[in-house]
Amino acid sequence: MPEELKQKIREELRLLEAELRTEIPQELKRAVALGDLSENAEYEAARHRQDYVRARIGGLRKRLGDLSMMDTSRLPHDRVAYGSMVALYDVDASDELTYTLVMAEDADVSQNKISTTSPIGRGLMGKREGDEVEVSTPAGKRRFEIVKLTTLHDLEEQGSVEVGE
């Protein structure tokens, strides 16, 4: 589960490190050959890209370290946590929704994957099946009832873990 996310980060790291070692130095070399660096847009663009790539690599390495310390066996079996699939009843809209709680990098509302750090995700964390939750969102307060909770452990037992993809 986090292993898929780790692999995704490793692949991005590999690509960015290759760009930093080969492509960016070539761009800088070409830009330097154009002459006056004080008014050289190509040189500035290459330097900005180099700075961005270095910062992104640093952030990805930190994230990879954080993920390496994550122990999914310590996640609760009876409460909403990372990896949980939660069926909700929207009390105000009389509608049912199902969300899977994922890391921010994997959030995709079109696939009903919301971040554990989103307003709804934060509001659901630690709650149990049957609990009613009031969440403050940018659109205002929303009230949900947790109709069904399937934890990461339940999903692993069913063999249907797709959280980090």
Side-chain angles (χ1 to χ4, degrees), residues 53-154:
V53 169
R54 283 183 177 152
R56 181 73 179 147
I57 287 172
L60 289 172
R61 284 184 179 152
K62 181 184 180 327
R63 187 74 180 125
L64 204 52
D66 292 347
L67 286 171
S68 294
M69 294 186 323
M70 183 179 192
D71 182 2
T72 57
S73 68
R74 299 187 75 195
L75 294 173
H77 290 259
D78 62 341
R79 294 178 183 265
V80 177
Y82 169 75
S84 294
M85 185 181 298
V86 186
L88 303 171
Y89 176 72
D90 186 331
V91 176
D92 301 317
S94 299
D95 194 17
E96 287 200 20
L97 310 157
T98 300
Y99 291 122
T100 301
L101 278 80
V102 298
M103 304 234 174
E105 296 90 349
D106 293 319
D108 184 349
V109 178
S110 69
Q111 294 182 14
N112 295 330
K113 293 180 179 183
I114 62 170
S115 169
T116 56
T117 59
S118 69
I120 294 174
R122 279 194 318 267
L124 293 172
M125 295 295 285
K127 303 296 187 217
R128 296 178 181 205
E129 197 170 294
D131 285 354
E132 210 170 287
V133 181
E134 185 173 278
V135 179
S136 293
T137 68
K141 291 198 184 279
R142 294 179 67 185
R143 293 181 307 146
F144 300 102
E145 180 184 339
I146 300 175
V147 178
K148 184 172 180 4
L149 168 63
T150 308
T151 67
L152 178 63
H153 306 292
D154 299 329

Side-chain angles (χ1 to χ4, degrees), residues 13-26 53:
L13 268 171
R14 188 187 65 74
L15 293 172
L16 289 172
E17 287 169 344
E19 180 181 356
L20 191 62
R21 278 191 315 273
T22 58
E23 295 170 33
I24 292 175
Q26 290 172 359
V53 169

